[in-house]
Amino acid sequence: MIQLKNYINGELIAPKTNSYLDNYNPATGKVYSQIPNSDDEDVELAYTAAKEAFKSWSSTPKEKRSYYLIKIADLIEQKLDKLALAESIDNGKPLKLAKTVDIPRAASNFRFYGTGILHYAASAHSMEDDAINYTLKQPVGVAGCISPWNLPLYLFSWKIAPALAAGCTVVAKPSEVTPMTAYLLSEICIEAGLPNGVLNIVHGLGNKVGNAIVSHSGIPLISFTGGTATGKHIAYIAAPMFKKLSLELGGKNPNIIFADCNYEKMLATTLHSSFANQGQICLCGSRIYVERSIYEKFKNDLVSKTKELLVGNPLDDKTKVGAVVSKQHKEKILSYIELAKQEGGIILCGGVEVKLEGEHENGYYISPTIIEGLDYNCRTNQEEIFGPVVTITPFDTDDEALMMANSTMYGLASMVWTENLTRAHKLAKEIHAGIVWINCWLLRDLRTPFGGVKASGVGREGGFEALDFFTEPKNVCIKY
Ligand code: NAD
């Protein structure tokens, strides 16, 4: 059985207490590796290494920092098959998805910031009375980066890459539910020759390792992606310490479908935006609002396409829906399906656990589920389920669709399907969300701001916004 190690000061080391946690393969329900059950002593070691490394890394020429990031991107690409397999086994996601989305996007995160830092400029403001201001953008210090389990390496690298590019050193914690590719990343960093202490990866539980990072007085900046409740807790600790905070939190994204849309394109994409990664993408559209004139047709078509999705072994190429990430998460999703029934929802398809055979008989599988007949403001339609579960609801007017779309406490992503340009622009302006996709979903341009409003988060990742986050602007005013 593989026993993972922490990556501290350039070395792979055991946790101080030598205590480990079991790591499950969600496709089989069996323990297949062990991860360090680290605590604040390990975080302190990582912090000390990162603090020391900051002295040189923060003044390393950007071309050199760029070199390391691009080297890491190259190595991720070279090891795509190994990393994708590890991601699929750790998370339960279809191997094909890990190969085509997760791992390539992790490599492009490093490549993007490896090149982006070369083009990151500061500004100058000249004044009429013989003075000039220029702005220095200096790396903040040791950054704390904490990530979730749904897109493990992809989201981990989305934080680490801009932090390192900006000249920060990092103490990072991947999710304890999916630690494997972060561990493989530490091996890659060693192979790339990344200087000791620049990146440190400490494995373990949120309330121990995560908490030690968030409350560490020497770490002035926290970049967190995860659930809204955890984000709230982190803000509660970090805000009085005046830390810089970036919080990417939960979502309950609306997918608004008008009768004038390109129907076939919409249907194919909606199937994907509903159930990709077992619905465990923070950007999935879980509330589908459909203009009444096409509601029945849409309902029949989506249900029949959903029934065709093969639930099965994530390593099998034919599988469209793999395992959900953990037993605990499976139970949470099933409890929401029960709640939906109590709230008057009608299950149109799915709604049950799927029992596979052989070595997968104890895996965590749920059939993709479509529910109708629920009020827009019931709990099922207001709370994040984060599984292969969507609701469908008819609407009559643009205003009604907008009102329902904006009715939750969340505001991460949204989708609008219409060929009417005026309507598309109007809704894009009025929807409460950080991201609006019109006639598409999950199209990604790394230069764009990424993040949510309301309970979906604070701050933006992506593009130069992330480099702004990991640097502190300092104005210098000179009178001549
Ligand atoms: P989570 O909040 O349970 O855990 C996220 C990370 O925080 C993990 O590494 C965990 O160990 C750590 N953590 C837990 N308690 C902590 C504490 N007290 N202090 C510090 N760290 C702590 O979330 P999850 O279940 O891993 O991920 C699913 C959630 O993430 C969903 O709500 C989803 O919407 C959200 N998410 C958001 C985005 C986004 O970009 N907005 C992207 C992906 C996932």
Side-chain angles (χ1 to χ4, degrees), residues 146-150 155 173-176 204-207 210-211 214 224-228 230 233-234 248-251 282 384 386 412 450 456:
I146 302 175
S147 62
W149 50 254
N150 63 324
L155 292 178
K173 189 196 101 59
S175 170
E176 63 275 26
L205 299 170
N207 59 11
N211 195 60
V214 171
F224 170 79
T225 299
T228 293
T230 316
H233 178 74
I234 287 174
E248 299 289 342
L249 310 177
C282 52
E384 184 182 48
F386 214 54
L412 186 54
F450 177 90
S456 288

Side-chain angles (χ1 to χ4, degrees), residues 40 197 200 275 287 308 375 384 457 466:
D40 45 4
N200 304 274
F275 302 121
R287 294 178 291 143
E308 286 168 15
D375 268 358
E384 184 182 48

Side-chain angles (χ1 to χ4, degrees), residues 156-448:
F156 199 52
S157 55
W158 191 225
K159 301 181 177 310
I160 289 170
L164 298 182
C168 289
T169 53
V170 174
V171 177
K173 189 196 101 59
S175 170
E176 63 275 26
V177 185
T178 53
M180 190 56 82
T181 47
Y183 173 70
L184 297 176
L185 178 68
S186 44
E187 291 183 345
I188 284 174
C189 291
I190 292 170
E191 193 176 338
L194 188 71
N196 293 350
V198 166
L199 171 63
N200 304 274
I201 300 175
V202 187
H203 293 273
L205 299 170
N207 59 11
K208 282 165 80 175
V209 176
N211 195 60
I213 293 173
V214 171
S215 55
H216 198 292
S217 60
I219 298 180
L221 171 153
I222 303 292
S223 174
F224 170 79
T225 299
T228 293
T230 316
K232 191 172 175 180
H233 178 74
I234 287 174
Y236 184 78
I237 295 172
M241 298 174 83
F242 305 108
K243 296 194 179 206
K244 270 187 115 173
L245 268 183
S246 166
L247 302 173
E248 299 289 342
L249 310 177
K252 186 77 179 175
N253 308 311
N255 179 3
I256 308 173
I257 298 166
F258 287 93
D260 68 3
C261 70
N262 176 331
Y263 189 83
E264 291 309 319
K265 200 168 119 191
M266 173 282 296
L267 190 64
T269 309
T270 292
L271 189 71
H272 195 48
S273 67
S274 301
F275 302 121
N277 203 37
Q278 298 70 249
Q280 302 166 137
I281 301 180
C282 52
L283 307 166
C284 278
S286 52
R287 294 178 291 143
I288 307 179
Y289 298 115
V290 189
E291 195 165 359
R292 196 176 299 274
S293 60
I294 59 162
Y295 182 79
E296 286 301 318
K297 175 176 167 47
F298 170 80
K299 171 172 124 179
N300 294 332
D301 289 345
L302 187 69
V303 168
S304 91
K305 286 218 172 283
T306 301
K307 283 181 175 167
E308 286 168 15
L309 295 175
L310 186 69
V311 181
N313 175 4
L315 302 186
D316 186 337
D317 254 7
K318 293 191 289 298
T319 293
K320 293 283 186 275
V321 177
V324 300
V325 77
S326 66
K327 185 162 187 278
Q328 196 188 13
H329 194 55
K330 179 192 77 178
E331 277 156 15
K332 176 189 156 187
I333 297 167
L334 291 172
S335 79
Y336 267 105
I337 294 172
E338 279 314 304
L339 173 71
K341 289 185 202 160
Q342 284 163 24
E343 290 184 320
I346 297 159
I347 311 290
L348 298 172
C349 63
V352 289
E353 192 173 350
V354 177
K355 282 277 168 208
L356 299 185
E357 288 174 354
E359 63 163 342
H360 298 102
E361 65 179 351
N362 293 319
Y364 318 131
Y365 301 92
I366 295 178
S367 58
T369 304
I370 304 175
I371 308 172
E372 74 167 351
L374 287 167
D375 268 358
Y376 76 91
N377 59 0
C378 68
R379 279 184 57 203
T380 309
N381 268 329
Q382 294 289 317
E383 297 176 15
E384 184 182 48
I385 301 173
F386 214 54
V389 180
V390 296
T391 63
I392 57 172
T393 309
F395 68 83
D396 292 300
T397 64
D398 294 35
D399 283 349
E400 188 191 5
L402 184 67
M403 180 279 292
M404 293 194 289
N406 284 345
S407 67
T408 73
M409 69 172 184
Y410 296 107
L412 186 54
S414 56
M415 285 134 270
V416 178
W417 289 93
T418 178
E419 293 292 301
N420 178 332
L421 193 63
T422 307
R423 167 184 275 160
H425 282 300
K426 189 166 180 294
L427 281 168
K429 201 168 151 192
E430 294 181 355
I431 285 177
H432 301 161
I435 299 157
V436 184
W437 273 300
I438 309 231
N439 300 332
C440 59
W441 180 67
L442 218 60
L443 258 188
R444 186 177 189 236
D445 181 330
L446 298 183
R447 295 166 302 178
T448 61

Side-chain angles (χ1 to χ4, degrees), residues 45-86:
L45 264 187
Y47 166 73
T48 306
K51 187 180 168 207
E52 183 59 29
F54 183 75
K55 291 178 193 160
S56 53
W57 186 251
S58 56
S59 54
T60 296
K62 57 185 178 315
E63 289 77 10
K64 190 77 188 166
R65 298 203 299 265
S66 164
Y67 161 84
Y68 287 116
L69 292 187
I70 290 172
K71 179 108 198 197
I72 292 170
D74 289 343
L75 287 170
I76 292 175
E77 275 160 7
Q78 279 169 28
K79 296 174 197 291
L80 178 112
D81 287 343
K82 180 179 176 185
L83 288 162
L85 182 63

